[in-house]
Amino acid sequence: MQFVHILAVLAILFGRQGGDAVDTYVNVPTGALPNLVTRLRCATSETLLYKYETTTQLWGSTNQQFKTSCDVHITCLGEAPDKYGGNALLFNAFINHVKVVLLNAPEHPEDYVSGDLNPVEADVIIIKRVVSSPFEALASSNKRKKRQTFEGLSNVGQQIIVDEPYPIDDDMAIPCQFVQNYDGKILDVLFAAADTDIEIRNFKRNPIVARSTQLSREKAEAPTPSMAGERKAAFTFKRGESGSTIGKTYGSNDFTKFAAPSAGNDDTTTKLTAQERQSFNAEGDFTSASGSLTAHFGLDDTALRSSKYAPPAARRVLDPDDEDSVLRTADVDIADDLTADATFQMSLSTRAKRSAETDDIAVRNDLDYVSGGLMAEDDRDSGRKNQLEILLQSIGDVYDTLYQFVTTKSLITLNALQDILQLENELDRENLQYAVVRDVTHFVKQIDARICRDEWTTCSELYQLLALGGGSVAERLLVERLDPVLTQLTEDQQADVLNYITSMPKPSPYILYFLKRIYNSENTSMLLPTIRLTMASVASRDTIPEEVRASVSDLLLSELQESSCEQADAIIDVLQAVGNLGDTLSDRMIDDVIAKGSVCGRTHEAVSQASMYALRDVSDDDAVQTYYGQSLLDEDCDIKAAVITTLIDRMFRIQEQQYTESVESKWPLIGFNEIDEIVATNLLNLTDEFTCIGEELYRYLEMKKNDKAVEILEEFRKNYDVEELLEDEEDDGKQSYNATYSHERQKRAWDHKTCSSWGHSTYYNILQTSGQFSSDKNIYNRRRHCLAYKRVGVSKANAKFYAGIFAGKRTSGLNQYKLFTKMVGKGQIFSKTFDIGTVLAYRIRSSLGITYQRRYMVIAGKVLLKPDTNSVACNTRTWHYERNFYIPIYKITIYIASIDIGAQIRPRFEVNFICKAKGSNTLLKVQPKAILRIAASAQASFAKLVRGGITIGVNLNFFIETITESIPCISGQYGYDPMTISIEAWYQIRSKIKFQWWPPKFKWTWGSRKKYSPSSLKWKISSPYRRTWLSRSCDGSNIAVTSLPPFTAGLSNDAKTQLRSFFNPRG
């Protein structure tokens, strides 16, 4: 067989040469030749050797520099297949001698230990043994023989780094092919079927892209292929006796499509500028190329309009409010160092005659090649995989980490484990060499459930961690915790377990079978509303079979049909559960929700609003569209506002879902339909019936990703002479004039000055519509209320919080009153926005003397409920909930460097709820605290040998404390614990290690991360802070105020400890 192959090769060579080299040229269409600066030559008898080299400088002032070099062997194989048009050549490319060098490594690099910088990584904690701890029994199991964790990170046995000059040449062993058109454009890159490594394939594309050009002088501007995406470029031409040179320039605005759709690259905040040059000799051979490219990510509009990047030294003052008396530092633009500057050179070095021996290595005609395209391939999970590797390095042994938590109670200990479990779920866990979830499950399984009744703060965190990991063992363990006989947990603690089950990423039908059995057997349990919400959330998951989901839907449907309009609160509870089913609602359910909202909404507006919100995830359904459209046209201002507010909320959810999952229907974010026409028409022709929600109509169109919506807004601003956006997200606390609505906007800073203007602007409809407030005013003739807004953080990493409190009393009747507190949080990292969550607590005594009390959280679009044993009784509750998800932000290939920017998001809400009563006065104290941890990371990988990155650690928090009394009175405070935003750069080197002598075995492993010191940018509030939002204010000075005992009076020591722990700085 080898002999036959040699004969075939010799026949090809000498048949084409006839003893001497015979050059052929690419076929050129008739009439095109005079306009070409050169004609591509194809010398099939020789291989051209090029030296290719790139230098990449990353992350701005951190000045990481990497040099990558390789040899590129190019052989022309003749005419390309007919499918490429008959005017193109087919080339073979073989790459070897790949080398990556770190040019400016620190002289004394330190192991990367992040402290509070990076919330992804666990801090190193010194454990002080507590002999009396109920978890002491875990200590012995903690001393078991440690399991080998992630392969490549173990140090068992003698390991020797293999010193090879070109360690990844084996990965480059398979050649590829490419097709170049007569006009210089690269039409395709072809890869062998066995060449499956995406990063290696992308590396091979680089030298091929370097020779892509435009040889026709008629086309000074033309589409040209790129690894980064589809774009056009401007060309210049120079032709002389010795050859031709073509110049090429392009920038961000020239791109029509980026190569990595999974990242959702935001081209409006990315700036690219590039210049390149290709040269050919007089015979038509490609001889050299060079180029430079500069990229800056995460810019704002001002920077994009500037011809040059703003110097990073420019800083904005975070908050000029001197009366805060808090140490504040200058604002930090976290995008300052998200830069990449790269150059490349490729030049012809030597020519070599082809031979059968070299063809066996470099050409490989025996392989099947398939089209791969020129754009860089998108490995959707590359960022997650890299992050998982780094996290596994950081935690060491899982048992040690968990034991640290149960002995120190420091939540930061669990941060890395939470991120790992989330990433394991997003990746295919079955294909991972090691899964942390097994160790987490094994550890938690050893805890005696009876301990947890008195150690609930610790156990609840572990159970939430267990739910995040998921799996059949975790499901069985959590279900067992719902059996009060086995565990002796209180109903309140069981409710927490139910809420944690809601967060399970891939639940099985087993969970629903068990929950339905409890639901059908416990007709009087306070857990029923919570079970209902949990069942609906679990049923909405993709892992639940349709017939099982239908059984939950039927249960909710029967309850909805059986409830009368007089049972408004019960209807709303069911509708909230219906909303948790998400986009899995059946047509029958949709029809019944619309019918209930239409009929009962006539007398109970809250039911109408709840029905609209329940249908938010099926807002593109025809029946829902009709319902929303008719409500916009025919109903009063509050219902109109409810429609728009629901659709705005849906747009937020679509934006967030796009980061983590596929979304089939993207309206109202994408597209423009009849409802959008209604909004646009009534914004441009503001009649009396729509002026009341004019600001919401504007905000709705502003959020849409649609060119027509942009045109409508431009026309609106022109017609009404509006120069500024109606919503000032930066909120400097100053008043601004709104010409459209002819009133002066109130200050939105967190103080009491806005307390009397709830219904004046739709800005706070996120809390409660102005119509609901008007209804409350009519019912409760004595009242106090207040609204506030606050932003914490910096311009591209921040959290926005809205809060409202209301206390109202009706002087006639059976002590009729309403006490209400709500807090909503929204987060942002670069251009990506997401929900932190919502906390709502209220207590209402109706005209019939019936007391209703609810505590809700809304997290990731799912409603969670903290139930009450008895709504009439006052009690104390503590509650926390956390979720974890990854957002891809930018992904782009810049020459050799594959850059991936993403963020691990971890929002958390902690709530204290205290109700006390004395005589006729009832008091609610609500303390919600929002914690937002973001670990944003930018990584650049170079040929799988070196990766350099920058880590942005964001730790933000904010809390309020509100007191509402049925007198009525209100008061409140707000504050925060220390906060930080920091940036550091790091790099890692990958080595080939021999870990077994005979038979020899090798593995690749990444070394420890080395950081660049000093760290670059930091933003910090170093001290905890608490400030009075508003002093106690009551309506009715002639009424004697009943004094109440201290809020902690009568509480157990454990309850007091729990309350204090929520608002003390954590280690």
Side-chain angles (χ1 to χ4, degrees):
M1 182 64 71
Q2 183 69 17
F3 178 73
V4 173
H5 178 66
I6 292 174
L7 289 178
V9 172
L10 292 174
I12 292 173
L13 294 179
F14 290 104
R16 288 182 179 176
Q17 291 177 197
D20 297 313
V22 177
D23 297 336
T24 60
Y25 288 86
V26 66
N27 293 327
V28 178
T30 304
L33 186 60
N35 293 314
L36 298 180
V37 294
T38 190
R39 186 178 183 183
L40 296 177
R41 186 171 77 103
C42 176
T44 57
S45 62
E46 62 183 12
T47 295
L48 305 184
L49 172 61
Y50 296 86
K51 297 292 184 180
Y52 182 83
E53 181 180 289
T54 69
T55 301
T56 307
Q57 178 178 325
L58 295 174
W59 322 136
S61 60
T62 67
N63 197 32
Q64 290 189 41
Q65 293 185 38
F66 303 89
K67 180 180 178 180
T68 307
S69 59
C70 63
D71 291 344
V72 184
H73 308 260
I74 303 293
T75 306
C76 184
L77 303 178
E79 293 183 5
D82 292 340
K83 68 178 182 178
Y84 293 105
N87 300 302
L89 297 174
L90 179 66
F91 292 86
N92 184 89
F94 174 71
I95 297 173
N96 64 355
H97 295 171
V98 179
K99 196 170 187 177
V100 182
V101 178
L102 183 64
L103 294 181
N104 64 336
E107 293 183 5
H108 304 288
E110 304 172 13
D111 286 342
Y112 186 89
V113 180
S114 63
D116 66 352
L117 165 71
N118 185 357
V120 165
E121 296 187 344
D123 279 359
V124 177
I125 299 175
I126 300 175
I127 304 176
K128 296 181 180 179
R129 294 287 299 278
V130 182
V131 178
S132 60
S133 170
F135 299 100
E136 186 67 20
L138 296 174
S140 59
S141 63
N142 187 50
K143 295 177 181 177
R144 82 211 188 293
K145 182 179 178 181
K146 297 182 185 297
R147 303 178 185 180
Q148 180 173 335
T149 57
F150 182 66
E151 183 178 354
L153 305 180
S154 172
N155 291 318
V156 177
Q158 186 177 16
Q159 301 182 0
I160 297 178
I161 296 178
V162 179
D163 187 13
E164 294 181 356
Y166 309 111
I168 67 163
D169 272 14
D170 288 346
D171 295 328
M172 297 287 178
I174 304 176
C176 63
Q177 298 178 351
F178 64 93
V179 178
Q180 190 163 21
N181 202 36
Y182 76 95
D183 60 0
K185 184 178 181 180
I186 303 294
L187 300 180
D188 200 1
V189 181
L190 300 95
F191 295 97
D195 197 357
T196 58
D197 191 305
I198 290 178
E199 189 167 355
I200 294 298
R201 286 159 62 118
N202 284 340
F203 187 99
K204 293 175 180 179
R205 287 181 169 94
N206 275 278
I208 297 172
V209 174
R211 61 183 287 150
S212 178
T213 188
Q214 174 56 251
L215 300 177
S216 176
R217 287 173 291 188
E218 283 187 323
K219 300 179 180 178
E221 184 175 288
T224 183
S226 160
M227 284 188 66
E230 297 176 0
R231 58 166 168 76
K232 60 183 179 180
F235 295 90
T236 59
F237 308 94
K238 183 179 180 181
R239 186 174 181 177
E241 294 183 1
S242 60
S244 305
T245 300
I246 300 94
K248 177 169 56 177
T249 59
Y250 57 90
S252 307
N253 296 333
D254 297 315
F255 279 84
T256 58
K257 178 183 177 182
F258 280 101
S262 71
N265 290 303
D266 189 349
D267 55 357
T268 64
T269 61
T270 305
K271 185 170 185 177
L272 300 174
T273 56
Q275 296 180 340
E276 296 178 10
R277 183 180 67 180
Q278 288 82 28
S279 297
F280 297 80
N281 61 20
E283 289 75 32
D285 294 323
F286 168 70
T287 56
S288 67
S290 61
S292 63
L293 187 150
T294 298
H296 199 165
F297 308 99
L299 297 171
D300 54 28
D301 292 339
T302 303
L304 285 169
R305 287 194 296 266
S306 173
S307 59
K308 295 182 179 180
Y309 300 138
R315 295 285 183 265
R316 295 179 299 279
V317 177
L318 175 66
D319 191 341
D321 191 1
D322 295 333
E323 63 185 3
D324 273 5
S325 302
V326 178
L327 174 63
R328 296 182 182 273
T329 59
D331 191 10
V332 169
D333 189 338
I334 61 174
D336 280 345
D337 283 336
L338 285 184
T339 65
D341 295 275
T343 62
F344 80 91
Q345 298 84 36
M346 184 175 180
S347 58
L348 179 61
S349 175
T350 58
R351 301 172 184 264
K353 293 291 184 182
R354 287 176 63 185
S355 67
E357 181 179 356
T358 59
D359 275 7
D360 276 344
I361 299 173
V363 178
R364 301 290 301 275
N365 289 312
D366 58 318
L367 299 176
D368 292 326
Y369 293 89
V370 295
S371 172
L374 196 59
M375 283 198 301
E377 293 175 78
D378 179 19
D379 183 354
R380 182 184 184 277
D381 295 326
S382 60
R384 293 172 172 85
K385 291 174 182 176
N386 290 338
Q387 191 74 349
L388 182 58
E389 288 181 8
I390 293 169
L391 287 165
L392 286 168
Q393 280 184 311
S394 73
I395 64 167
D397 185 73
V398 176
Y399 266 58
D400 285 344
T401 303
L402 290 169
Y403 189 65
Q404 287 174 12
F405 168 70
V406 299
T407 52
T408 65
K409 307 296 191 292
S410 176
L411 288 178
I412 199 171
T413 316
L414 300 180
N415 287 350
L417 285 178
Q418 291 167 336
D419 292 337
I420 288 172
L421 292 174
Q422 179 66 30
L423 290 169
E424 285 183 353
N425 276 310
E426 292 180 2
L427 299 169
D428 188 354
R429 182 176 286 162
E430 298 302 321
N431 294 330
L432 298 177
Q433 294 173 320
Y434 167 71
V436 164
V437 67
R438 300 188 193 107
D439 279 351
V440 171
T441 304
H442 187 263
F443 183 92
V444 179
K445 192 176 180 180
Q446 296 178 74
I447 299 174
D448 188 338
R450 292 170 295 183
I451 297 175
C452 289
R453 183 182 178 101
D454 299 320
E455 292 285 339
W456 186 242
T457 301
T458 301
C459 288
S460 64
E461 298 290 349
L462 292 174
Y463 290 153
Q464 188 165 4
L465 192 69
L466 190 68
L468 178 62
S472 59
V473 177
E475 288 184 357
R476 286 195 296 271
L477 194 150
L478 290 171
V479 163
E480 288 173 1
R481 298 305 180 263
L482 296 176
D483 188 335
V485 177
L486 292 176
T487 64
Q488 299 180 8
L489 295 183
T490 66
E491 284 190 317
D492 199 48
Q493 292 166 344
Q494 292 176 59
D496 285 341
V497 174
L498 285 166
N499 287 322
Y500 301 153
I501 290 173
T502 299
S503 68
M504 297 190 80
K506 299 176 182 179
S508 73
Y510 168 78
I511 288 281
L512 284 176
Y513 294 143
F514 184 83
L515 293 177
K516 284 183 65 179
R517 193 168 76 228
I518 298 178
Y519 191 82
N520 292 327
S521 62
E522 297 286 347
N523 294 328
T524 60
S525 172
M526 77 163 189
L527 292 174
L528 288 180
T530 307
I531 297 173
R532 186 193 295 126
L533 289 167
T534 301
M535 283 194 302
S537 294
V538 172
S540 70
R541 302 290 188 184
D542 294 337
T543 54
I544 302 301
E546 181 59 38
E547 62 273 13
V548 179
R549 181 183 299 119
S551 68
V552 176
S553 180
D554 290 343
L555 186 151
L556 297 177
L557 189 61
S558 64
E559 292 190 348
L560 191 64
Q561 292 172 339
E562 293 169 4
S563 57
S564 65
C565 292
E566 286 70 29
Q567 301 170 299
D569 286 299
I571 294 174
I572 292 172
D573 281 348
V574 176
L575 288 173
Q576 286 172 333
V578 170
N580 279 4
L581 285 170
D583 60 1
T584 65
L585 295 182
S586 65
D587 291 342
R588 184 182 173 195
M589 176 68 83
I590 291 173
D591 291 341
D592 274 57
V593 170
I594 293 174
K596 187 66 71 172
S598 300
V599 174
C600 297
R602 297 168 188 164
T603 54
H604 297 82
E605 193 172 87
V607 173
S608 180
Q609 295 169 349
S611 66
M612 291 174 181
Y613 192 69
L615 299 170
R616 62 194 180 278
D617 288 340
V618 288
S619 56
D620 60 322
D621 181 87
D622 289 342
V624 178
Q625 293 264 305
T626 302
Y627 180 45
Y628 284 172
Q630 289 177 344
S631 299
L632 274 176
L633 293 173
D634 302 334
E635 299 294 340
D636 62 22
C637 191
D638 299 314
I639 300 301
K640 296 180 195 296
V643 173
I644 300 300
T645 301
T646 298
L647 293 177
I648 289 175
D649 181 81
R650 176 60 185 152
M651 284 193 275
F652 270 110
R653 287 288 300 133
I654 293 173
Q655 285 180 330
E656 187 173 317
Q657 285 176 303
Q658 288 181 129
Y659 313 145
T660 57
E661 57 191 283
S662 61
V663 182
E664 292 186 6
S665 175
K666 297 182 179 180
W667 188 87
L669 186 67
I670 306 295
F672 205 90
N673 63 13
E674 293 181 3
I675 289 182
D676 299 314
E677 292 286 358
I678 294 173
V679 172
T681 300
N682 288 284
L683 178 66
L684 294 176
N685 306 290
L686 280 175
T687 60
D688 291 340
E689 59 180 333
F690 278 93
T691 301
C692 60
I693 61 165
E695 198 167 338
E696 281 186 330
L697 299 177
Y698 186 101
R699 191 174 298 115
Y700 170 83
L701 290 174
E702 188 181 33
M703 281 193 67
K704 288 184 67 68
K705 307 294 184 182
N706 183 273
D707 291 339
K708 187 171 183 179
V710 173
E711 294 173 2
I712 296 296
L713 292 178
E714 289 177 352
E715 184 178 353
F716 172 81
R717 287 192 290 269
K718 180 180 178 181
N719 293 347
Y720 290 92
D721 193 24
V722 177
E723 298 180 358
E724 298 180 342
L725 297 182
L726 298 178
E727 180 176 354
D728 180 12
E729 290 290 358
E730 296 301 321
D731 186 18
D732 57 6
K734 297 178 180 178
Q735 294 178 339
S736 60
Y737 185 75
N738 183 328
T740 306
Y741 305 110
S742 300
H743 70 262
E744 206 170 75
R745 294 275 302 283
Q746 294 275 345
K747 183 179 179 182
R748 293 192 193 130
W750 200 281
D751 61 31
H752 65 281
K753 295 180 181 178
T754 57
C755 291
S756 299
S757 58
W758 192 307
H760 198 52
S761 169
T762 58
Y763 188 75
Y764 290 103
N765 270 354
I766 195 172
L767 299 171
Q768 187 180 20
T769 66
S770 57
Q772 181 61 51
F773 175 67
S774 298
S775 174
D776 289 341
K777 285 174 64 177
N778 293 331
I779 296 173
Y780 307 104
N781 57 321
R782 288 171 45 200
R783 59 195 172 274
R784 280 290 182 266
H785 52 273
C786 199
L787 296 167
Y789 163 86
K790 191 72 171 180
R791 193 194 76 166
V792 297
V794 297
S795 56
K796 296 183 179 69
N798 58 69
K800 301 178 178 71
F801 297 102
Y802 307 78
I805 57 177
F806 178 92
K809 183 175 183 178
R810 186 182 183 90
T811 52
S812 61
L814 299 174
N815 193 29
Q816 187 178 354
Y817 63 83
K818 175 179 178 179
L819 308 177
F820 170 95
T821 294
K822 187 173 182 181
M823 179 176 173
V824 178
K826 303 285 185 182
Q828 179 180 356
I829 179 73
F830 297 110
S831 62
K832 311 297 183 181
T833 57
F834 53 89
D835 276 328
I836 297 173
T838 297
V839 170
L840 167 63
Y842 65 83
R843 184 179 174 92
I844 299 173
R845 183 175 173 84
S846 72
S847 58
L848 299 177
I850 301 173
T851 301
Y852 304 95
Q853 183 169 287
R854 286 288 186 271
R855 280 92 36 109
Y856 289 108
M857 278 191 195
V858 182
I859 306 290
K862 304 297 184 184
V863 179
L864 310 175
L865 174 66
K866 190 73 165 179
D868 293 287
T869 307
N870 184 340
S871 294
V872 179
C874 270
N875 49 48
T876 296
R877 294 283 187 268
T878 60
W879 195 14
H880 74 269
Y881 191 85
E882 185 168 327
R883 69 182 179 121
N884 193 308
F885 58 98
Y886 178 85
I887 291 180
I889 299 175
Y890 300 103
K891 188 181 291 186
I892 195 169
T893 300
I894 297 178
Y895 302 146
I896 294 297
S898 298
I899 296 178
D900 196 325
I901 304 175
Q904 199 73 28
I905 312 294
R906 190 167 48 248
R908 176 186 176 96
F909 253 118
E910 300 174 345
V911 185
N912 294 332
F913 180 93
I914 303 170
C915 175
K916 299 194 75 67
K918 186 173 183 180
S920 62
N921 188 21
T922 300
L923 177 148
L924 288 187
K925 184 176 184 179
V926 183
Q927 298 171 305
K929 180 179 182 180
I931 301 170
L932 177 60
R933 295 189 179 97
I934 302 174
S937 62
Q939 301 178 30
S941 179
F942 298 86
K944 302 180 72 171
L945 288 174
V946 177
R947 60 188 178 198
I950 189 168
T951 299
I952 304 170
V954 179
N955 288 274
L956 304 175
N957 68 87
F958 191 77
F959 68 82
I960 65 171
E961 176 184 290
T962 68
I963 300 175
T964 55
E965 302 174 55
S966 60
I967 291 174
C969 304
I970 59 172
S971 61
Q973 293 185 319
Y974 71 94
Y976 34 78
D977 288 336
M979 295 185 279
T980 59
I981 298 176
S982 301
I983 301 175
E984 282 184 340
W986 55 269
Y987 72 94
Q988 280 181 296
I989 297 175
R990 189 168 177 253
S991 301
K992 190 176 183 180
I993 292 178
K994 183 177 182 180
F995 64 95
Q996 180 172 301
W997 284 102
W998 193 261
K1001 289 186 178 181
F1002 301 89
K1003 64 182 177 183
W1004 285 94
T1005 182
W1006 288 101
S1008 60
R1009 290 205 290 174
K1010 308 297 181 181
K1011 72 174 182 179
Y1012 281 70
S1013 184
S1015 61
S1016 53
L1017 304 174
K1018 289 187 176 180
W1019 174 92
K1020 187 175 184 179
I1021 293 180
S1022 56
S1023 301
Y1025 182 67
R1026 191 182 188 95
R1027 181 182 177 185
T1028 298
W1029 169 12
L1030 65 155
S1031 300
R1032 188 167 183 262
S1033 172
C1034 301
D1035 187 355
S1037 57
N1038 60 330
I1039 297 178
V1041 177
T1042 305
S1043 61
L1044 292 171
F1047 296 118
T1048 55
L1051 298 182
S1052 66
N1053 289 331
D1054 183 61
K1056 292 178 183 178
T1057 301
Q1058 280 189 318
L1059 295 179
R1060 284 195 296 269
S1061 68
F1062 278 141
F1063 295 100
N1064 287 335
R1066 299 189 181 276

